[in-house]
Amino acid sequence: QSALTQPASVSGPPGQSITISCTGTSSDVGSYNYVSWYQQHPGKAPKLMIYDVSNRPSGVSDRFSGSKSGNTASLTISGLQAEDEADYYCSSYRISTTVVIFGGGTKLTVL
Amino acid sequence: QLQLQESGPGPVKPSETLSLTCTVSGGFTSSTNYYWGWIRQPPGKGLEWIGSINYSGTTYYNPSLKSRVTISVDTSKNQFSLKLSAVTAADTAMYYCASLDILATAHGMEVWGQGTTVTVSS
């Protein structure tokens, strides 16, 4: 069982927005703003999309945004495009043990 | 531009030690703003963080693997390495190396290697 809880799948038609949740505890997601989001296409390495809850690395589309409320972080993708279809993973730090934890992953299908 | 490339021997027999190396180009393992890490992904499953190391050799390990894992850095070769002992079929996975630049993307791992498949089989 993954340390962070994500929905197994989400879907939406092109052009619409979707949100993927990532629920942890007060020992990880809720403690600090260290949540990251990764996109992974089949057969490819993960790609960093969001770091520290809401920051985008250079080159990542502004259609991707992140937020956090309490022990739950969220990734929102607006204006869905076919190329967004992929697996998405959240990660956080568990401060007490200085370890990185991942969510189980969410498969995004663009209908 | 920083690039990472994993290398390893391929198949590993049960109970043996898995050894992988990540070669860094476009940057230096001696850089004080980087952490270097290993992540794995069993076939059809999610990501699992194995551990990380910084330029000075300070390591952080996944508690579930800690007793079997050693991560080291060789600044002279600009490489960092993973050793996982007493492997079983459950260690079969794609293994990725990745970097974290605390000055750029803080706590996010921005650069990843392409991954290397490790199969544990007799």
Side-chain angles (χ1 to χ4, degrees), chain A residues 33-34 36 38 40 43-48 50-52 57-58 87 89 91 93 97-105, chain B residues 39 41 44-50 52 60-63 94 96 100 104-115:
Chain A
N33 292 329
Y34 294 163
S36 296
Y38 299 89
Q40 187 180 35
K44 300 293 187 182
K47 175 185 177 182
L48 180 66
I50 296 286
Y51 66 94
D52 289 5
S58 175
D87 293 325
Y89 295 90
S91 76
Y93 284 74
T97 51
T98 322
V99 298
V100 176
I101 50 178
F102 283 99
Chain B
I39 301 92
Q41 185 171 35
K45 296 188 177 181
L47 302 171
E48 179 180 34
W49 178 75
I50 300 171
S52 299
Y60 308 87
Y61 295 137
N62 186 325
M94 178 71 79
Y96 296 100
L100 184 156
T105 56
H107 301 90
M109 293 176 280
E110 184 173 22
V111 180
W112 293 63
Q114 64 185 24

Side-chain angles (χ1 to χ4, degrees), chain A residues 21-41:
Chain A
S21 62
C22 171
T23 301
T25 70
S26 57
S27 298
D28 37 71
V29 173
S31 283
Y32 297 90
N33 292 329
Y34 294 163
V35 176
S36 296
W37 289 92
Y38 299 89
Q39 175 193 66
Q40 187 180 35
H41 287 109

Side-chain angles (χ1 to χ4, degrees), chain B residues 8-92:
Chain B
V12 184
K13 289 183 168 54
S15 79
E16 292 187 342
T17 295
L18 177 165
S19 296
L20 297 175
T21 296
C22 184
T23 300
V24 178
S25 58
F28 300 98
T29 54
S30 57
S31 296
T32 58
N33 51 298
Y34 278 99
Y35 285 76
W36 311 99
W38 290 96
I39 301 92
R40 70 180 183 179
Q41 185 171 35
K45 296 188 177 181
L47 302 171
E48 179 180 34
W49 178 75
I50 300 171
S52 299
I53 191 168
N54 68 5
Y55 72 101
S56 67
T58 302
T59 53
Y60 308 87
Y61 295 137
N62 186 325
S64 67
L65 299 170
K66 188 173 183 176
S67 64
R68 299 194 291 131
V69 172
T70 302
I71 296 176
S72 59
V73 63
D74 187 337
T75 55
S76 67
K77 294 182 178 179
N78 219 27
Q79 297 175 332
F80 61 102
S81 300
L82 167 70
K83 291 188 185 299
L84 180 65
S85 64
V87 298
T88 70
D91 295 310
T92 293

